[in-house]
Amino acid sequence: LSRQHISAEMLLLLLLALWPVLGAAECSIFPPEDPWNIPVDHWPVHNKSSIYIKTIGESLYLHPIFGTTWAGKPNGIPFQVVKPASGAPPEIPVQFQYEPDSDAGPYPMNKNTPIEGCFANETLTCSATGDRHAIVLDETNCVLYELYGAHAMGGGQWWKAASGVVWDLSKPTGTSAAGRKLCWTSADAAGLPIYPGLVRYDEVAGATDVVHHAWRFTVPKTRKAFVLPAKHYASHSTDPSLPPMGMRVRIKATYDCAQFSAFPQIICNTIKKYGMILADNGGPWGLAGAPDPRWNNTALGELHHIKGSDMEVVFSGTEMNNLCD
């Protein structure tokens, strides 16, 4: 092997050592009938599709906001998988800023639970700004724990966060069975779970054609409205040209995904079939994913060829306006 090849392998091993425990989920991520898991390739086009697409940006491209690293830190929203031997997660208390909208827990966070913007070994000293999401998937009990604005305190003995949700993966997110009320936020602005909507390396690598669920995306401005499965909005504007939280977008059937290399082609095919759900305010056409040192950032850049004009909004339900005043 060349010195350059050895150096690259050593770098990958080092990055893997700093990453949280990743892998394909052993639990079903919500039931098959859950909105995240339903194909939308045959759903009707929304009658305001052209208006919403133009507002977000017809000429702007799909932008993966995930990959390996960015500015020396993991690029994307990280997660940790735990498998408690006893069947019960550790009892870590969390103090919430938005306590009425948050689930009390306890939460199975630990000193190695990654916080968005930092490596897993930096949890206790993480100084990242931004959303600081922290996500733990308990595969023994099939429960998903998500925090927004997360900070490990007291050496990790307790945490504080803006908001948090404990998701029972056996119950659908779009119904009252999930235990989340209309107008409640979650760790995401739209009141949705985050983990199901992340593009994750192992899922893409294991797919032959598509990944069988929708992904989450962002736009710069949203309306004071939402459509299920979203249950919350993060806007003061009633401008009818702005999209509501929970809006679902797909790539048009006529778009040629075969032009891409393997991984971008699978991502393109998935958005064609399952679409993307609007979950937060952020950059235009921001496709969310989890960081992983195995991503090929150059290949992910191929997705920039997909423009807003290549997508369309599907009708997924009644838009609820000004419901949470």
Side-chain angles (χ1 to χ4, degrees):
L1 295 175
S2 68
R3 181 176 300 176
Q4 182 177 3
H5 192 186
I6 293 172
S7 176
E9 286 185 342
M10 290 178 64
L11 178 59
L12 179 59
L13 289 172
L14 176 61
L15 288 173
L16 283 169
L18 294 175
W19 243 268
V21 177
L22 302 177
E26 295 181 2
C27 298
S28 296
I29 308 303
F30 298 114
E33 70 273 16
D34 187 85
W36 286 100
N37 300 325
I38 297 175
V40 296
D41 50 333
H42 295 300
W43 286 16
V45 176
H46 198 290
N47 60 10
K48 292 178 64 177
S49 176
S50 60
I51 296 174
Y52 290 149
I53 297 294
K54 184 176 182 180
T55 297
I56 301 168
E58 292 176 300
S59 63
L60 300 180
Y61 57 77
L62 183 65
H63 179 61
I65 45 178
F66 64 93
T68 57
T69 59
W70 177 260
K73 298 296 182 181
N75 183 17
I77 300 176
F79 64 91
Q80 181 184 43
V81 176
V82 297
K83 300 180 180 181
S86 65
E91 295 187 1
I92 302 298
V94 181
Q95 292 184 3
F96 293 108
Q97 179 181 355
Y98 304 115
E99 188 173 356
D101 290 11
S102 299
D103 293 333
Y107 288 70
M109 274 55 190
N110 56 70
K111 64 180 181 180
N112 294 314
T113 300
I115 295 173
E116 183 181 6
C118 292
F119 285 103
N121 66 340
E122 300 173 321
T123 298
L124 300 182
T125 58
C126 180
S127 60
T129 57
D131 289 345
R132 294 180 63 104
H133 291 111
I135 298 173
V136 174
L137 174 61
D138 175 351
E139 286 198 330
T140 299
N141 302 290
C142 291
V143 176
L144 180 64
Y145 299 83
E146 298 186 336
L147 299 178
Y148 162 64
H151 295 260
M153 309 297 292
Q157 295 302 306
W158 64 280
W159 285 54
K160 68 177 182 179
S163 56
V165 178
V166 179
W167 298 97
D168 182 345
L169 296 178
S170 69
K171 299 176 181 178
T173 60
T175 69
S176 59
R180 304 295 298 168
K181 297 180 180 179
L182 294 179
C183 299
W184 278 16
T185 189
S186 62
D188 217 353
L192 293 165
I194 297 172
Y195 177 84
L198 297 180
V199 183
R200 304 188 294 278
Y201 181 89
D202 285 300
E203 280 197 308
V204 176
T208 55
D209 183 40
V210 299
V211 174
H212 295 284
H213 61 80
W215 286 319
R216 74 187 284 279
F217 79 108
T218 65
V219 302
K221 294 181 179 180
T222 53
R223 194 166 85 247
K224 196 177 180 181
F226 58 80
V227 57
L228 293 175
K231 297 183 179 181
H232 187 261
Y233 48 70
S235 174
H236 297 291
S237 177
T238 56
D239 182 346
S241 70
L242 293 175
M245 287 292 186
M247 181 185 77
R248 199 136 170 180
V249 173
R250 70 185 173 209
I251 293 173
K252 294 176 180 177
T254 54
Y255 190 83
D256 181 20
C257 294
Q259 64 181 289
F260 300 129
S261 59
F263 278 24
Q265 186 174 151
I266 288 171
I267 292 171
C268 180
N269 288 337
T270 300
I271 299 173
K272 256 190 182 184
K273 188 173 183 67
Y274 287 88
M276 305 185 294
I277 299 177
L278 180 54
D280 202 355
N281 298 312
W285 305 119
L287 176 62
D292 197 298
R294 297 170 293 178
W295 284 121
N296 183 323
N297 292 333
T298 301
L300 291 176
E302 295 176 28
L303 295 171
H304 291 175
H305 290 287
I306 303 173
K307 302 293 192 294
S309 57
D310 299 317
M311 293 184 269
E312 59 192 4
V313 180
V314 299
F315 179 78
S316 56
T318 302
E319 297 176 4
M320 304 181 193
N321 296 281
N322 301 314
L323 188 66
C324 307
D325 292 340

